[in-house]
Amino acid sequence: SLLVYNDKSFSEGDIAGIQSLGLGGKKDQHTIGKFGLGFNAVYHITDSPCLLTRRRSDENISFCVFDPFRKFLEIQAQDRPGIRLNFTSAELRRFPDQFCSYSFDSLPDLTKGDYSILKLPLMNEDIVMEDMLTELISQVSNYIIFLQNIKRISVLKRDKDGTHTLGKLHITVTQSTQLPQHYLTNYNYKYLDNVDIFIKEIYMGKDISSAASRKRKKLSPENTWLLFTNNGCIQQLEGSCPAVRKHKTMFEREKLTHVYGGVAVEVPVNSSSRVGGSCLYSYLPIGSDTPSEFPILVNAPFILQPERQLIRFKDITETSDDWADIWHSVIIEHVITPLFVSLLLYLKDKSLLENILEHMSSEDYYNWYYSLY
């Protein structure tokens, strides 16, 4: 089995949101996933995922077995395959053996704190989980650039000889500052009044969990990213964007009220750094063949096709204005472009990144800087 541990509990809405196989029904962008498709990926490797989750606030523990193909559970509702049991921490302590397979030495006590554990019994013995997870940990840095809540990822293997670490990823995030207003007002982008600047360093290895360990081993980050991000609502764009004023009712009908954007560039921490990458994100990457057309990474609330590999554009047979095309024009012109311009203006001053570019010459830095144009 594959166990997936997270130190945050599932809400009632989260549990309801993962029960619809093949449907993207997410409305709340701050819960487990925006599109409702991520959890369905588990059915590539398992027929019956299980969830154990605890909420510190009320000490309730929920145990859910999902059986969408009705293969395993004899007693289940006709309209909702699977079963859910609720119990308390005290009851779990009375019967610890029932859930011993959900814990091992590196996980916290199942009777304390907030957590969620997904257990995915493998449907096929030929699935080589160790190879898949080793490959994942080597590539995962590409996926978490714009994710805000992931700080650590550990991949462990448990067998008869004990628990072994296959790989770890640790993310340090420094919020340097908010973008000074003159960067925006000089270019008439006054509505972007809360642009945050982050430096995100990604470390990879097997012993990188603590800052002391990284310093002792003189470890350098695998990647260092500079991010400019903005969060707001559609009302902020009304004063400066005629398209928003004209189509506000349509956007609200499609629940397009949350406006966010982000641009990220990988910083060459020294002259030998290998820097590149151009991709569109909607929190996660959008397909492998969707370049951003910018020399940077771009994150925005794009309208996606159901398979989440392509951005939705107007069909050539349509004659009227398409709400998705209008939305994308607004986002690119009034959110992403000013963020990119602000990033370029900010990077003109090498001293602002002096603490992470101390080994890079000014000549190398400005050669890299002008390559962004």
Side-chain angles (χ1 to χ4, degrees):
S1 296
L2 174 66
L3 290 182
V4 182
Y5 169 83
N6 187 357
D7 61 357
K8 184 177 179 181
S9 62
F10 268 50
S11 68
E12 291 298 323
D14 292 335
I15 294 175
I18 63 175
Q19 292 183 46
S20 300
L21 177 59
L23 299 177
K26 292 291 168 54
K27 301 301 181 185
D28 184 353
Q29 297 184 7
H30 302 285
T31 57
I32 58 170
K34 179 181 174 185
F35 300 97
L37 299 176
F39 181 77
N40 291 332
V42 305
Y43 292 105
H44 287 290
I45 63 172
T46 187
D47 287 326
S48 184
C50 305
L51 169 69
L52 189 69
T53 184
R54 182 184 187 275
R55 293 183 294 277
R56 187 203 314 264
S57 57
D58 56 12
E59 293 200 353
N60 281 338
I61 297 174
S62 293
F63 175 59
C64 304
V65 179
F66 303 98
D67 186 16
F69 307 108
R70 301 182 183 275
K71 285 186 175 182
F72 305 101
L73 297 175
E74 294 183 4
I75 303 175
Q76 52 186 306
Q78 289 298 317
D79 61 338
R80 185 167 295 180
I83 193 170
R84 176 178 177 178
L85 304 174
N86 296 317
F87 45 89
T88 65
S89 298
E91 290 170 323
L92 182 61
R93 293 189 193 97
R94 288 178 58 197
F95 306 101
D97 293 346
Q98 297 297 317
F99 292 96
C100 62
S101 63
Y102 284 77
S103 181
F104 47 94
D105 49 11
S106 60
L107 291 185
D109 187 343
L110 295 183
T111 63
K112 299 178 181 178
D114 291 334
Y115 64 80
S116 301
I117 301 176
L118 281 168
K119 183 176 181 180
L120 310 177
L122 302 183
M123 67 169 69
N124 190 332
E125 293 182 358
D126 294 333
I127 297 176
V128 184
M129 211 68 241
E130 183 173 347
D131 292 347
M132 290 175 60
L133 293 175
T134 302
E135 182 179 0
L136 168 66
I137 203 69
S138 68
Q139 298 182 5
V140 73
S141 61
N142 298 326
Y143 295 94
I144 50 80
I145 301 301
F146 293 105
L147 299 183
Q148 301 172 6
N149 298 320
I150 295 179
K151 300 296 185 292
R152 293 183 299 277
I153 298 175
S154 299
V155 179
L156 309 174
K157 176 187 177 183
R158 183 175 64 179
D159 56 25
K160 62 181 180 180
D161 298 321
T163 301
H164 315 283
T165 299
L166 299 180
K168 288 186 178 182
L169 178 143
H170 187 91
I171 303 157
T172 65
V173 179
T174 304
Q175 183 172 356
S176 302
T177 183
Q178 281 204 331
L179 188 66
Q181 277 296 300
H182 70 269
Y183 283 90
L184 300 172
T185 54
N186 289 347
Y187 287 83
N188 199 30
Y189 296 134
K190 298 179 182 179
Y191 55 87
L192 288 182
D193 57 359
N194 58 341
V195 176
D196 292 312
I197 304 172
F198 297 91
I199 294 173
K200 181 174 284 192
E201 295 178 314
I202 301 173
Y203 294 84
M204 298 177 68
K206 294 188 177 182
D207 184 19
I208 57 170
S209 298
S210 66
S213 172
R214 297 194 297 272
K215 184 176 181 180
R216 184 177 67 253
K217 295 190 173 187
K218 298 180 179 180
L219 295 177
S220 299
E222 188 82 9
N223 311 95
T224 299
W225 294 89
L226 176 66
L227 285 78
F228 275 47
T229 65
N230 169 257
N231 275 283
C233 59
I234 195 68
Q235 287 79 8
Q236 291 175 271
L237 301 182
E238 285 188 73
S240 56
C241 182
V244 171
R245 292 195 296 271
K246 180 179 179 181
H247 301 286
K248 180 183 176 183
T249 301
M250 178 177 63
F251 290 155
E252 291 177 344
R253 182 193 69 213
E254 299 294 336
K255 296 183 171 58
L256 298 174
T257 56
H258 178 212
V259 178
Y260 65 87
V263 294
V265 62
E266 188 173 358
V267 179
V269 293
N270 56 56
S271 301
S272 61
S273 294
R274 181 179 63 83
V275 178
S278 167
C279 188
L280 294 178
Y281 284 65
S282 190
Y283 285 116
L284 291 171
I286 304 171
S288 57
D289 300 320
T290 313
S292 69
E293 302 299 334
F294 290 94
I296 55 174
L297 305 183
V298 173
N299 181 42
F302 296 110
I303 310 301
L304 305 180
Q305 301 283 14
E307 71 279 6
R308 210 184 178 279
Q309 293 296 308
L310 297 170
I311 296 176
R312 180 191 186 282
F313 291 107
K314 181 173 69 173
D315 190 279
I316 58 174
T317 61
E318 298 181 45
T319 56
S320 61
D321 288 339
D322 180 74
W323 61 271
D325 280 5
I326 298 170
W327 174 256
H328 292 146
S329 296
V330 168
I331 294 300
I332 294 298
E333 181 178 352
H334 294 274
V335 180
I336 298 304
T337 298
L339 282 173
F340 185 35
V341 170
S342 302
L343 175 74
L344 293 174
L345 292 172
Y346 183 86
L347 287 173
K348 284 180 68 176
D349 186 354
K350 178 177 181 284
S351 66
L352 295 173
L353 298 175
E354 194 170 25
N355 60 327
I356 60 174
L357 293 172
E358 54 184 347
H359 300 300
M360 191 176 192
S361 69
S362 293
E363 180 182 359
D364 288 332
Y365 176 81
Y366 286 107
N367 284 336
W368 165 75
Y369 171 70
Y370 286 112
S371 73
L372 298 177
Y373 280 84

